[in-house]
Amino acid sequence: MSSKKLQGAELTLSPAEQQAKINEVRKLIGPAVDKFPAMCSDASILRFLRARNWHTKRSAKLLKETLIWRLEAKPDMIRWDDIAQQAETGKVYKADYFDKYGRTVLVMKPGVPNSYSVETQMRYLVYCMENAILDLKPRQERMVWLIDFEGWNMSSISVKVTRETARVLQDRYPERLGLAILYNPPKVFESFWIMVKPFLEKRTYKKVKFVYPNAADTQKVMEDLFDMDKLESSFGGKWTQGFDFVAYSKRMREGDDKMTDFVISGAPLPSDQNVTAETRQSSAPDNSLELSEDGISSTDETASNLGSSDETEDLHMSCKNEIKVDPNASNSKQMKQSK
């Protein structure tokens, strides 16, 4: 008897049903499966399936588009020296601590001015995402975004940046976000939030939580999630030192070395090893204040096996033959269109 049932608009499938969906997606992907085993692993396909509520054709289409994007944009080849200048203000950075569930933490400060183009900002965001994913603990495949609204006002608004950020997160890194904490947004943000919501898929929207420092019930969210001795004071923690660009640069260069070693090795990400429909079902649920579906998501492997121009052409042909995907819709071109 099938275990399919609705939870709102989301399906719950048994491990056997999930595996059947994985196999169906592999057939839709076609010859690329054998050439790109990392991106077509059970764990990777599971992530894309959940992002499209187990609809196999939509999942295969999204996966193919992501394969093409990774082949052309080469996100795992971006290095600190390429984007360091954008990090100087501390507008976006990876924290040097994890939450209590082993999730990488990205800190964002939308109130800090940024004069860079949308394309340049998205390239830096992609670098941060790649670095954060590589740092995820085993069997923990999602991260936390901490968004500090200090200094934010209506002049800080960029609909283009917001739209592109949502697109990168949802289309290129689906099921990577575990929780987004909007810390102390001003009252005026409510009108902007109404504008933002249409850019967000329901699964993403459900992972957003508003936290206010003067509200005991929501402040408890921070205490339950983080070691308050390590959490920045701007989020109600006890760590009073500000963003140190020199120290952060050292960490990121070490991260670059780690990424290079990882790409050369061709090994699966630590968070993605031995993940199948069966092991995902039996894994401890990630119910740490996430407002949507729990459980282990799949992975975004680097493009270590996706390098040659012949492979790129083969993948384009495979995508065209199986499902219509615009091979010219590369990340860089899409970003330029948004400028």
Side-chain angles (χ1 to χ4, degrees):
M1 182 176 178
S2 174
S3 65
K4 292 180 182 179
K5 54 185 178 181
L6 287 174
Q7 294 181 337
E10 297 177 359
L11 290 173
T12 298
L13 304 181
S14 70
E17 290 169 326
Q18 291 182 30
Q19 191 62 54
K21 293 283 189 180
I22 291 170
N23 296 339
E24 187 176 346
V25 169
R26 282 203 176 96
K27 291 180 180 179
L28 290 170
I29 295 296
V33 168
D34 295 329
K35 294 184 178 181
F36 315 122
M39 287 295 294
C40 298
S41 66
D42 280 9
S44 182
I45 294 174
L46 275 171
R47 177 168 57 86
F48 284 85
L49 278 165
R50 291 205 318 280
R52 291 296 177 262
N53 200 21
W54 305 101
H55 191 292
T56 53
K57 287 188 176 181
R58 293 173 184 169
S59 302
K61 181 178 185 293
L62 182 62
L63 177 53
K64 288 179 178 181
E65 291 171 339
T66 300
L67 287 172
I68 292 171
W69 173 76
R70 294 191 70 87
L71 280 164
E72 296 180 342
K74 295 179 172 54
D76 58 336
M77 299 305 293
I78 304 172
R79 294 295 179 263
W80 176 248
D81 288 339
D82 300 326
I83 47 79
Q85 191 173 10
Q86 300 166 59
E88 291 179 350
T89 62
K91 185 179 179 68
V92 179
Y93 64 89
K94 186 185 71 173
D96 61 354
Y97 55 84
F98 297 87
D99 78 347
K100 292 181 179 179
Y101 297 87
R103 295 183 292 193
T104 312
V105 178
L106 284 186
V107 176
M108 303 179 178
K109 297 178 178 288
V112 175
N114 191 321
S115 60
Y116 291 99
S117 68
V118 175
E119 180 182 7
T120 301
Q121 291 184 58
M122 292 305 103
R123 190 163 187 255
Y124 178 55
L125 175 62
V126 165
Y127 172 81
C128 292
M129 292 292 293
E130 293 286 316
N131 192 287
I133 288 169
L134 189 59
D135 271 1
L136 285 167
K137 301 292 186 180
R139 289 194 172 278
Q140 178 52 268
E141 299 179 339
R142 296 178 182 178
M143 66 186 70
V144 175
W145 285 11
L146 274 178
I147 305 173
D148 175 18
F149 279 85
E150 182 178 358
W152 189 94
N153 53 50
M154 293 300 286
S155 66
S156 306
I157 291 176
S158 173
V159 175
K160 289 183 179 179
V161 171
T162 302
R163 182 179 63 242
E164 286 302 293
T165 298
R167 187 188 64 79
V168 168
L169 175 65
Q170 295 172 155
D171 294 352
R172 301 299 167 238
Y173 301 97
E175 292 302 290
R176 279 303 187 183
L177 181 66
L179 181 68
I181 294 178
L182 276 56
Y183 194 83
N184 201 27
K187 184 72 173 177
V188 69
F189 178 75
E190 292 180 5
S191 59
F192 180 61
W193 181 241
I194 294 174
M195 296 171 57
V196 169
K197 284 172 64 176
F199 302 148
L200 303 178
E201 297 171 358
K202 181 180 179 181
R203 297 177 65 84
T204 302
Y205 171 75
K206 289 169 63 178
K207 297 174 184 178
V208 176
K209 188 166 185 68
F210 289 75
V211 175
Y212 299 92
N214 296 326
D217 55 338
T218 56
Q219 185 61 20
K220 187 175 182 298
V221 169
M222 310 303 285
E223 297 172 356
D224 289 343
L225 277 174
F226 303 104
D227 180 340
M228 300 304 284
D229 290 330
K230 297 180 180 179
L231 184 68
E232 295 94 328
S233 57
S234 56
F235 294 108
K238 299 178 181 179
W239 187 259
T240 57
Q241 296 184 23
F243 176 73
D244 186 333
F245 178 73
V246 174
Y248 188 66
S249 295
K250 182 180 179 181
R251 285 177 50 212
M252 293 301 98
R253 292 185 189 281
E254 293 172 352
D256 284 355
D257 292 340
K258 182 179 178 181
M259 178 64 76
T260 298
D261 292 341
F262 170 71
V263 172
I264 292 173
S265 74
L269 289 161
S271 62
D272 194 36
Q273 296 180 14
N274 302 316
V275 176
T276 65
E278 193 70 41
T279 58
R280 176 182 176 271
Q281 187 79 5
S282 61
S283 298
D286 177 15
N287 58 1
S288 54
L289 295 170
E290 181 178 330
L291 306 181
S292 63
E293 181 183 356
D294 297 329
I296 290 182
S297 64
S298 54
T299 185
D300 225 337
E301 294 286 1
T302 65
S304 56
N305 298 318
L306 311 181
S308 73
S309 58
D310 289 342
E311 289 173 335
T312 305
E313 185 175 351
D314 288 345
L315 180 57
H316 277 288
M317 293 304 298
S318 175
C319 291
K320 288 179 180 178
N321 291 337
E322 298 287 347
I323 295 177
K324 291 183 179 179
V325 176
D326 180 6
N328 294 317
S330 67
N331 181 52
S332 60
K333 290 183 180 180
Q334 289 179 3
M335 288 178 180
K336 287 178 181 177
Q337 290 171 358
S338 66
K339 292 172 66 175

